[in-house]
Each structure stands twice: as C-alpha cells, then as structure tokens.
Amino acid sequence: MPLVVVGISVLALLFLMTKVKLNGFISLLLVAVAVALVRGVPMEKIPDVLGEGVGGQIGDTLIVVGLGAMLGRVMGDSGAAQRISGKLIDTFGLRRVQVAMVVTAMLLGVTMFYEVAFVIIVPVAFTIVRVTGKNLLWVGLPMSIALSTMHSFLPPHPGPTAVAATFHASVGLTLFYGLFFAIPFGALIALVWPRLPFVKKMNPSMPKGLVSERTFTDEEMPSMGWSLSVALVPVVLIAFAAVYDMAVSESNPARPFITFIGSAPVALLLTLLLAIWAFGPRIGRSLSEVSASCNSAAQAMAMILLVIGAGGAFKGVLVEGGISDYIKDATEGWNISPIILAWLIAVILRIALGSATVAVVTAAGVVAPLVAGSGVHPEMMVLAVSCGSIAFSHVNDPGFWMFKEYFNLSVIDAIKARTTYTTTLAVLGLGGVLAVEACLDALGV
C-alpha cells in the first residue's frame, strides 16, 4: 500500500538521522532512492527524478534564501539589525518581544512568501536573542508560526491563489474572509506554543555564520531611518507588485515591469545592493568588509541549502511513485461535506508528499465537481484546502528542514515544535472555515 511505504520511509529517515547520526543530506537521498525502487520507478530514471527534485526545490529557494542570508549578515555586521531589534524592544518592551515578532511577521507575511519573510526577519530575531539572552525558540518560534499562517491560509500566496481559479473564487474575498480567523488563530498559536513544556525544554544555540557576534554602541550603528528603510524595501516592492497584480488587467503596459521588480529574487537583489552601499561605503566600511559578510553568510548557508534540496528529492520520488494519484483515486467516492472533504484530502496529501502546492491543487481537483450544486461559497473551499495543506509538516517537507536548520534543532525537536503547530493550525483553520461559512449562510450572503 503506498501510504505504508510513506510511513516506513519516514521511520527509516528518523532512524538514520537520530540513531545512526547520519548527515541529513545523505539520509534524505538514501531514503529517496529506496522509495523510488520500492514504488517501481525505473532504475535508469531515478537519477533524473532526484535531480529534478533537488533542482526544482533549490531553484525555488536558493536565490531567495541566499540573498536573504547575505542581506541579514550585512545588516547584522553593520549594526542595522541591532538598531531595529533595539527599537522593537523599546517599543513593545522586553516582556512583549513575542508580540513584536508576531505583529512584524503578520504584516510582512500577508504578501511575502514564508521563506522570503523568514530570511528578512530572522536576523532581527537572532540579534534580540544575542542581546537579551532569551531562548532562540522563545523569540523565533512566534515569528515562524505567524509567517506559516499567513503563507498557507491566504492569497496572494501560491497555494490559495492557484486553486482560486479552480473553484471560480474571488481572490480578494478569499483574503478578506480568511483574515477573520487567520490573524486570531495564528497569533494564539504563536504566543501559546513557546510556553508549552516540551518546547520550553528546547534551548538551541544559534547557527554559526548567520549572525554577527559583535555588540555595537549607539554611535557605531546606522540610524533607525536607514536601517528600517533598507529592511522594508523588499516588503514594499513585493507587496506593491502583489496588490498591483490583483488590481489591473493582464494587458496593462506597466505590469511586466512591476512584476519584475516585485519578484522576490529581484527585490532582494536590489535590496542587497542598496544595503552594501548604505552599510558599506556610506558609513565608512570598505567593500571588502561588506563582501566578507556576504561570503560568511554564503558559507553558512551551504549545508542548509543541501538539506533543503534533498528534501525536494524525497518529495519528488513520492510524487513520481504515484502516491498522489493513489490518494486521489481512493478519496473520490467519499460522501461528506465538500469543505471537510477538501480539507481532509489536502491533509492526507500533505502528510504523504510534503508539498503544500501539490496538496491544494490535487484536493481542489477532486472536490471541484461537488461545489457547483452544494451551495458552499467557493472562497470557503479555497480556504479549506489551504488550511489542510499546512498540516503535519515533517521530514518530507523542505520547509521543515529550513525551520530545523535555522533554529539548529534535532530532527525530533523539530517534529515536536513544527509538526505540532502546523497540525494545530490546520485543525483550527478548518473550524474557522466552517464558522465563517455558517455566518455567511445565516446572513444570506
């Protein structure tokens, strides 16, 4: 049975990494090859499947994560990250630093991909931890949870936007309805999870090379205006492009240019160039010093990117092995509420494949024929599959490995922290969708 193969492969991966202590990159590739053989992928095709899986995943994340890491290190080595973190602490107070991270993450996360917003905010989280001595997860976990909620639940992120057309749903209404439960549920879990006993026991150290070890005096740091302006450049570019894209027609002559500068790689590249000048020659630091910061960040990112890429290979062989087709065929005859069915199929696919995008697209394809005569609002169907796609993030999800590596956790601790919060968010999200659908029906909307 295909799902048994998935379960055994996950257990094998956990064994290799926790008991054998084998490197995560090697472990993921070994298990991926084994799954491909068991699922009948021709031997001569396996290298191509692995290469496509790694390439597809790295192609999506390398530029963003690489540029984001360099930007974060340049800001850290110049004191800009310390300036921003100090302002957050002054504004919210040390006792409410988690609230500061949640508010910041939600504001950025509405329009920015999880990975993009993560690499922009995490240097500030690292700096707060270094300056205050707080537990890394106490500061960083609320940020990650808030970003996960925004990215998975709401358009214009890839999953919800991709299936809005399938259900003939309004992207704007989907965002509007989703905000009613995404913000309170995301904030609730973000503030509760670091306080759970099993999370409080974790006290990981910060990964080497991604944060400056130096503490700056007030005179040495760049001004708050420059520090915040540089940090917000990619936010403004990406957010403006997302809103512009929804507001204008495809024939608009300015759309190609706006889309270009608002794409995550270009926005981050432009911001990095601005940061190199603003926190280099403008304040008396040589270009060689700034380049050293970029090189340090790139070296620190090497293993993180390898592990993320191997996670893409693992995901690729699961898809190539026909797991998604099996689940689609097995669930087509289920006679339950379209909202619950859509959510449940997305959850099963997410557990089996690790890909949120595959989960939402496949789940939408299965339940789309049921929507027309059901009376369910199409926007609620989009939100149902989107909420389901966040559940059970574990070792077959490349995002899991990014979370694990940045927060320097063991595999078991990453599962305890991330898998539990993503699953809880998915369940709460389903409850939110059902509640909003009931309200809309009651109001006759």
Side-chain angles (χ1 to χ4, degrees), residues 312-327:
F314 187 29
K315 177 186 72 177
V317 298
L318 291 174
V319 175
E320 184 68 27
I323 306 295
S324 59
D325 292 336
Y326 170 82
I327 294 171

Side-chain angles (χ1 to χ4, degrees), residues 4 8-9 11-12 62 67 80 86 119-121 124 167 169 226 229 239-240 286 312 357 391 430:
V4 173
I8 293 174
S9 68
L11 292 176
L62 185 146
L67 290 173
V119 297
I120 289 174
I121 307 174
V124 176
F167 291 119
W226 272 105
S229 295
F240 177 74
S286 66
T357 302
L430 174 62

Side-chain angles (χ1 to χ4, degrees), residues 147-220:
L147 290 177
S148 293
T149 307
M150 297 293 106
H151 179 88
S152 298
F153 282 18
L154 306 172
H157 296 294
T161 304
V163 299
T166 302
F167 291 119
H168 304 290
S170 163
V171 172
L173 279 177
T174 303
L175 175 60
F176 177 73
Y177 294 147
L179 285 172
F180 280 103
F181 58 87
I183 290 176
F185 291 164
L188 173 67
I189 299 303
L191 296 177
V192 167
W193 234 244
R195 291 169 168 77
L196 297 178
F198 67 88
V199 176
K200 291 178 71 174
K201 290 179 181 178
M202 306 174 196
N203 189 20
S205 59
M206 286 186 287
K208 300 291 184 181
L210 291 179
V211 64
S212 174
E213 301 294 333
R214 179 182 171 188
T215 300
F216 295 84
T217 65
D218 189 69
E219 293 75 20
E220 291 173 323

Side-chain angles (χ1 to χ4, degrees), residues 17-292:
M17 294 189 66
T18 60
K19 299 298 183 182
V20 182
K21 304 295 183 183
L22 195 60
N23 173 274
F25 176 69
I26 299 171
S27 300
L28 281 162
L29 289 181
L30 284 175
V31 173
V33 170
V35 170
L37 291 172
V38 170
R39 291 299 302 155
V41 178
M43 285 187 177
E44 68 276 10
K45 193 176 180 181
I46 292 176
D48 290 336
V49 174
L50 295 177
E52 290 170 4
V54 171
Q57 188 61 46
I58 292 295
D60 290 339
T61 59
L62 185 146
I63 299 177
V64 167
V65 173
L67 290 173
M70 291 181 185
L71 175 61
R73 187 59 195 263
V74 169
M75 294 185 67
D77 286 349
S78 67
Q82 184 179 325
R83 176 71 77 182
I84 295 172
S85 64
K87 186 64 175 178
L88 285 174
I89 293 172
D90 290 342
T91 302
F92 287 88
L94 189 57
R95 294 183 60 183
R96 291 186 291 275
V97 69
Q98 292 177 317
V99 176
M101 298 309 295
V102 171
V103 171
T104 303
M106 285 191 168
L107 288 174
L108 299 188
V110 170
T111 56
M112 300 182 76
F113 286 14
Y114 174 88
E115 294 85 355
V116 181
F118 188 99
V119 297
I120 289 174
I121 307 174
V122 79
V124 176
F126 285 161
T127 304
I128 291 174
V129 170
R130 181 174 56 78
V131 172
T132 64
K134 292 285 187 181
N135 184 302
L136 177 56
L137 289 182
W138 184 260
V139 179
L141 189 55
M143 173 201 77
S144 180
I145 293 172
L147 290 177
S148 293
T149 307
M150 297 293 106
H151 179 88
S152 298
F153 282 18
L154 306 172
H157 296 294
T161 304
V163 299
T166 302
F167 291 119
H168 304 290
S170 163
V171 172
L173 279 177
T174 303
L175 175 60
F176 177 73
Y177 294 147
L179 285 172
F180 280 103
F181 58 87
I183 290 176
F185 291 164
L188 173 67
I189 299 303
L191 296 177
V192 167
W193 234 244
R195 291 169 168 77
L196 297 178
F198 67 88
V199 176
K200 291 178 71 174
K201 290 179 181 178
M202 306 174 196
N203 189 20
S205 59
M206 286 186 287
K208 300 291 184 181
L210 291 179
V211 64
S212 174
E213 301 294 333
R214 179 182 171 188
T215 300
F216 295 84
T217 65
D218 189 69
E219 293 75 20
E220 291 173 323
M221 292 184 288
S223 68
M224 185 62 190
W226 272 105
S227 301
L228 191 60
S229 295
V230 171
L232 289 178
V233 166
V235 181
V236 172
L237 291 177
I238 293 171
F240 177 74
V243 173
Y244 190 87
D245 184 63
M246 290 189 291
V248 304
S249 65
E250 293 186 10
S251 60
N252 187 283
R255 185 170 179 171
F257 175 73
I258 299 298
T259 301
F260 170 71
I261 64 170
S263 64
V266 174
L268 284 171
L269 178 59
L270 293 174
T271 306
L272 179 59
L273 293 175
L274 175 62
I276 289 173
W277 172 77
F279 304 136
R282 195 189 68 84
I283 59 173
R285 295 179 71 217
S286 66
L287 285 177
S288 61
E289 289 180 282
V290 182
S291 295

